[in-house]
Amino acid sequence: MTDTPTADSAATQVKRKGVKRRAFLIGGVAIVGAGLFGISIADSNAAKDAKARIAGKGEHVFATWLKIGEDDSITIYSPHTDIGQGSNTGLAQMLAEELDAAWDQVRLVSAPAEPSFANVGLGRGFLGEMTGQAAIVNGIPASFLSFIARQMNLQITGGSTALRFTGQQTFQKVGAATRLALIETAAKRLNVPAAELTTQDSTVIHAKSSRALRYGELAAEAATLSLDNAPKLKDPAQYRLMRQSMQRLDIPAKVDGTAQYGMDFAVPDMRVATIMAAPVRGGKLTSVDTAPAMAIKGVEKVIKLDDAVAVIAKGYWPAISGLRALSPSFSDGGNAGISTASIFTAHDALIAKGKADNEAGEGDVKAGLGAKPMEAKYQVPFLHHAMMEPFALTAHFKDGKVNIWGGMQDPLATKMAAVEVSGLDADNVTFHPMIIGGSFGRRLPMYMEIVTQVTKLAMQLPYPVKLIWSREEEVAQGAYRPQSSAVLTASVTDKKRIAAYQNDYVQPESAEDETVFPYILPAVSRRHFAHVSNQNTGAWRSVNSTQQGFYNESFMDELAHAAGEDPVVFRRNHLKAGSRHLRVLDEVAARSGWGTPVPAGRGRGVAVVESFKTIVAQVVEASVGEDGMPKVHKVTTVVDAGSIVNPDAAMAQIEGGTIMGLSSAIGEAITLDKGAVQQSNLSDYPLLTMAQSPLFQDIHFLNSGAPMGGIGEPGVPPAAPALANALFAATGKRVRNLPVMTQAKG
C-alpha cells in the first residue's frame, strides 16, 4: 500500500499481481544473499544513519523512532503520513503509554524519507497477516526484517495499518524497552534495585527514599544500552493514555493556519507549473503550438513530455491560463473504442465464458444450486478519490541534487521513484514529507504520474518549480477504484437456509486475499474474472471490500426476502454461534430499533462487512424524495475492532467512512466515452453535501479483546448495501447498479 517505477520494480509487481499494499514483502523474504552477518552489519549502519540524521546537541535516540532531550522533550518520529486521519496521535499515545511519558512533553514529527527509517513493524505485521503465521514471523530476527523493509523502501500509510501494525509491532515495544533502559540507568545512579523503581510523567521514582530522576537526566547513558527486543507491555488496566480521547496533536496547527500542505509550500524564486496529459490514457502528445501560451503574461516556458504538456509561469493563474490557451494534439493509444458500456459488455462475456482466473470456496456448489437457482447481477462504476487537496509537489534541481517537497502516502518510495527518473544516486535525492489534504489511496507513488512529471520538469529548469494539477486534471487522470460487475447465484431450501452460493465477479484483481465472507454455508464458490481497461486503477478507501460488501450484503438481503425471512434473522441463521460477527449484528439490530415501526415512506436496511480485521454492522434508515433521490435519516453503526486507542479519533473515522460510502453509492461515478473520462470537476462528480448527509449517526464500539483491527477504512463498505437494502424496504425496488442517482434520473 512500492519501489522505483521500473518494469520489474516492486511497485509494478505489486500492482500487476493485484495484492497492492500487502504483498511488497514476498519478494524481500527471499533475499538471503547478503548473509545474516552482512544483514546485521547493514542494520547497525542503518541505526547509526538514523541517529545521525535526527540527534542534535543534548538529544539521544532510542531504536530509531524515539528521541529524548536532556530538557525532557520527547520526540517521536512517525513513518506514517498525516492525511487527516489522526493515527499519528494514536501512535504517540501507544509509545508514550509504554514509556510513561509526560503527555505535554510529547511531540510527533514525520520520519525522514530515508532507508534507515523504513518501517519494519509494518512489514512484520503485513507478513504475519499475509502468511497467517504471525507467531513464526515474530520469530524472524528484527535485523533481517529491517533489511527487507529497507530493500522494499517501505514507508507506506494505508490499509488501516498504522496502529495495528506499526503501533503494536514497533512503537509500544520501543516505549516499553526505553522505559526499562531508563529504569536500569536510574537503578545504577541511585544504587537501588530496579524492582524498587516506578515511572510516571517522564520520571523514574524511588518511593522508599523519595528520590526521583528525570528522563532527560538519564537519557544520555540509557541510550548506550541494548534495548530489550521483547519487553513486557502494560496490562490494559494500567493504561492512562491509550483508550483515552486525547486531543489530536495535529489539530492546533490546522486550526491556526500554521500547518503546511504541499499546496502551501513556497521557496524563493519558485515558479509554478500545471500540466495536461493525454485525455485518453495510453495516448501520446503528438503536437502542440506553444505560441498561445507564451503570449500570456507571466508564462516563461512550455515543456513537452511524452504524454503531456506543461506550462511554467510566475504563478498558478498565468500557468493555467497559458495551458488553457493551448490546443495540443494527442494520440489515443488505440483506446478510443473503450466506454463504460463496452467494459460492462466485456465483463458479461467473461462471466458467460466461465473461465475464471482465480477460484476459492468449498463444497459442491453445482449440486447445491439445483435446477432453479436465484440469480442477480450487480454493477458498480469507477470511483474517484476526490481528495480535498489536488496534487502539488515542489522540486528543485541544483548542484547535482534534487529536493522534492509535498504530501505522499509513501515518502520513501517517492524518493526512490525520483531517483529512478533523475538518474541520480539516492544520496543526491531528498524527499521532504508534508501533511496531506486527503488521499484515500490516491497518493501512493505506484498509482500516480506527478512524481515523474515534477522531477523531469525540475531537471530542465534553473529554479524551483511547484507542479499543481488542476482539479480538472486530477478528476480526468485519476487512479480509480475499478469498474466492476458480479453475478451472484444461490439456492435457498424450504427451511430458509442457503444450500449453495456462488459469486462470479469481474475486476482487474482478485479480492480473495482481502474480502471476508462470514456466512457458514454448505457450499460456496468465489470466482474472479480479470479484466483490465485503459484506466489507471488503484487502492480506494477499503480497496476491494466496497465492491464485495455491496454484492454480498445486497444479495443476502434478496435471499432473505425470497425466503420470506427477516433480513437480520436470516443473517443470524447463517453466522457461527458465538462469533464476533453475530454479536455485532445483534448489537446493531438492538441499537437501531430493528423490527420497530418506522415513519411512513422510510425503510431500514442492514449490512455486515469485515475488512482489515474489523467487523462493522450498519443499519441505515432512508426514504426517497419526490425527486427520486434517497434521503438518509439515520445510520446506526456497531464496530468490533478488537480494541480502540483513541475513541474520539476512531469515531471520526467511522463517521467519515460512512459518509464516503453513502456518497459513492448515491452519486459518484467516473464514466468513459471514446476512451476518455467524461467528468471534469466536482460539478459533474457530485459528492455528498452536508445537507444530504445523515441527520444522525449512532456509533458504538465493542471491546471484544480480539486482535486489533484497522479503523480508517472499515467504515466505508457496509454503507452502500445498507442503503440499498433500506431503499428496497422503503420502495420495493432493488438497487443493483450504482450510483443510485443514475437510476433515479433514468
Side-chain angles (χ1 to χ4, degrees), residues 95-402:
L95 194 152
E97 178 68 72
E98 297 294 343
L99 182 62
D100 269 342
W103 183 248
D104 60 358
Q105 295 171 337
V106 172
R107 72 184 188 107
L108 184 141
V109 298
S110 294
E114 296 295 336
S116 52
F117 290 87
N119 192 346
V120 63
L122 182 64
R124 187 185 292 275
F126 268 141
L127 188 58
E129 188 170 287
M130 287 159 49
T131 62
Q133 302 293 329
I136 295 176
V137 172
N138 287 337
I140 297 175
S143 60
F144 183 65
L145 286 176
S146 181
F147 174 77
I148 294 172
R150 291 193 300 275
Q151 296 302 307
M152 304 304 290
N153 303 309
L154 184 57
Q155 218 176 50
I156 294 173
T157 299
S160 288
T161 57
L163 304 189
R164 67 189 178 112
F165 288 168
T166 307
Q168 293 188 117
Q169 294 287 348
T170 301
F171 276 34
Q172 282 186 273
K173 295 177 182 178
V174 169
T178 302
R179 175 177 168 272
L180 292 177
L182 292 164
I183 288 174
E184 182 180 340
T185 303
K188 293 179 181 177
R189 294 253 186 109
L190 300 174
N191 195 26
V192 298
E196 293 183 1
L197 298 174
T198 59
T199 53
Q200 183 178 342
D201 291 336
S202 299
T203 305
V204 181
I205 302 165
H206 187 244
K208 287 185 177 181
S209 62
S210 298
R211 291 180 293 171
L213 293 170
R214 297 179 293 102
Y215 283 3
E217 297 178 82
L218 301 167
E221 185 177 348
T224 66
L225 303 179
S226 296
L227 297 185
D228 189 338
N229 289 325
K232 183 179 179 181
L233 303 183
K234 287 184 179 180
D235 186 299
Q238 299 174 300
Y239 289 165
R240 61 182 185 86
L241 297 177
M242 287 177 65
R243 301 187 180 176
Q244 302 297 314
S245 293
M246 309 298 291
Q247 180 180 343
R248 280 174 46 173
L249 300 175
D250 58 308
I251 296 300
K254 291 176 179 177
V255 171
D256 66 23
T258 57
Q260 288 285 298
Y261 294 86
M263 191 66 74
D264 301 320
F265 185 76
V267 291
D269 299 321
M270 183 184 78
R271 304 300 194 270
V272 176
T274 193
I275 198 162
M276 179 192 300
V280 179
R281 275 199 174 272
K284 300 295 182 182
L285 177 66
T286 55
S287 65
V288 61
D289 178 5
T290 64
M294 295 301 296
I296 302 291
K297 183 178 180 180
V299 172
E300 296 189 348
K301 193 175 184 67
V302 177
I303 295 180
K304 303 173 188 178
L305 301 178
D306 287 345
D307 60 353
V309 58
V311 174
I312 292 85
K314 292 183 177 180
Y316 181 69
W317 181 245
I320 192 66
S321 298
L323 190 69
R324 289 169 177 169
L326 298 177
S327 299
S329 295
F330 297 93
S331 67
D332 60 28
N335 295 320
I338 297 175
S339 68
T340 296
S342 74
I343 292 173
F344 279 136
T345 298
H347 290 181
D348 293 342
L350 283 171
I351 293 177
K353 191 174 182 180
K355 292 185 178 180
D357 292 271
N358 294 285
E359 291 188 55
E362 52 280 324
D364 190 340
V365 172
K366 185 176 181 180
L369 289 176
K372 295 182 179 180
M374 182 175 172
E375 182 178 289
K377 182 171 78 172
Y378 298 88
Q379 295 178 333
V380 298
F382 289 112
L383 287 182
H384 179 48
H385 295 80
M387 53 197 183
M388 185 179 297
E389 178 196 18
F391 286 134
L393 291 182
T394 300
H396 189 197
F397 176 61
K398 183 180 180 181
D399 299 330
K401 298 179 183 293
V402 169

Side-chain angles (χ1 to χ4, degrees), residues 638-697:
V638 174
V639 182
D640 181 356
S643 61
I644 299 297
V645 173
N646 187 316
D648 186 61
M651 184 84 69
Q653 285 299 293
I654 297 299
E655 287 175 340
T658 298
I659 292 173
M660 187 170 179
L662 291 172
S663 178
S664 66
I666 291 172
E668 297 180 36
I670 290 291
T671 56
L672 304 180
D673 183 48
K674 298 179 181 179
V677 171
Q678 294 179 287
Q679 287 67 38
S680 61
N681 208 312
L682 299 183
S683 58
D684 52 7
Y685 189 84
L687 302 175
L688 205 65
T689 65
M690 290 183 67
Q692 296 169 320
S693 297
L695 299 177
F696 179 69
Q697 285 202 56

